[in-house]
Amino acid sequence: MTQQPGLAIYHGHAAFHASDPLRSALILNPDDDANLSRRNLTAREILEARLEAVLFILIACESAKQELSVGQEPTGLLPMLMLAGVNSVLGTLWKCSDTARKDFVEELLATLFLKIEEADPVSSCVLFDVAKALQRAVLALRKKKPAPYFWASFVLCGSWECLIANRW
C-alpha cells in the first residue's frame, strides 16, 4: 500500500521580490542571525524540489503574489509550488494582519478536521472541497472584519477538490 500525499501548511512569513520573483521566499527563521545562509526557502529552490503535497496552505503575507510579464509564465512562490508538483495552493496576495491570518486558518482547519471526523473510518482518504472551505473561512472572517483588506487576500490556485489522507 502506498502512502497518499496530503496536506502541507506553512504559517509564517514570506517575502516577494518584484525585481526577481524567483528570489521570493518563505522566511524560515527570521530571528536567527547566526544562520543567515539558511534562513529562506526561495521560489527557485522550490522549483528544483519534487513535492507531493495535494494541498499546500501558505498563511504568509504575499505568498500568492506573482510577477506577470507578457509572453512569460507567472513567477513567485505559488506557481513554483505548483510546478514542483503540488495540486492546490492557498495563499495571500498582500500583507495581512496577524489576527486575520489566525482567524482564517482556524476556520479553514476547523472545516478540514470536521470533514475528516465525518469521514468513513474505513476509508483511507477524504475528498475535501478546498473552494468551499475557503469560502466558509472568508465569510466567517468577513463577519468579524468587514473591510476587504482582512479577507480578500486569500486565493486558491489549482484543483479545488483534494483527496486528503484520513490519518494524521
Side-chain angles (χ1 to χ4, degrees):
M1 176 184 215
T2 60
Q3 184 178 359
Q4 292 290 327
L7 175 68
I9 301 172
Y10 174 79
H11 193 153
H13 299 284
F16 178 75
H17 292 279
S19 61
D20 184 4
L22 290 176
R23 282 188 52 225
S24 299
L26 300 176
I27 311 301
L28 301 177
N29 196 354
D31 299 325
D32 183 10
D33 291 330
N35 192 7
L36 294 176
S37 64
R38 196 62 199 135
R39 59 192 283 174
N40 299 340
L41 177 62
T42 66
R44 183 173 282 109
E45 291 169 324
I46 290 169
L47 181 59
E48 293 170 356
R50 177 65 191 129
L51 303 176
E52 295 187 4
V54 172
L55 173 60
F56 204 115
I57 300 172
L58 293 169
I59 305 301
C61 295
E62 298 183 333
S63 56
K65 195 169 182 179
Q66 304 173 43
E67 180 65 30
L68 299 172
S69 302
V70 176
Q72 299 292 321
E73 293 290 324
T75 52
L77 291 168
L78 189 142
M80 296 308 108
L81 281 163
M82 296 191 74
L83 288 171
V86 177
N87 293 350
S88 301
V89 181
L90 197 149
T92 63
L93 291 171
W94 56 77
K95 294 180 180 182
C96 51
S97 75
D98 289 342
T99 57
R101 290 186 315 186
K102 176 187 157 297
D103 292 345
F104 174 81
V105 78
E106 283 177 356
E107 187 66 36
L108 185 77
L109 293 179
T111 302
L112 174 61
F113 293 143
L114 181 63
K115 183 72 174 174
I116 290 171
E117 286 176 8
E118 293 174 348
D120 179 2
V122 177
S123 174
S124 63
C125 291
V126 175
L127 184 61
F128 183 58
D129 188 331
V130 184
K132 199 171 276 188
L134 171 62
Q135 179 188 35
R136 181 179 170 179
V138 165
L139 290 174
L141 185 56
R142 194 173 172 183
K143 284 181 184 175
K144 292 179 184 178
K145 300 177 185 300
Y149 163 79
F150 294 104
W151 53 264
S153 71
F154 300 97
V155 296
L156 171 66
C157 287
S159 178
W160 56 274
E161 283 187 324
C162 296
L163 276 175
I164 305 258
N166 197 8
R167 294 180 220 101
W168 295 96

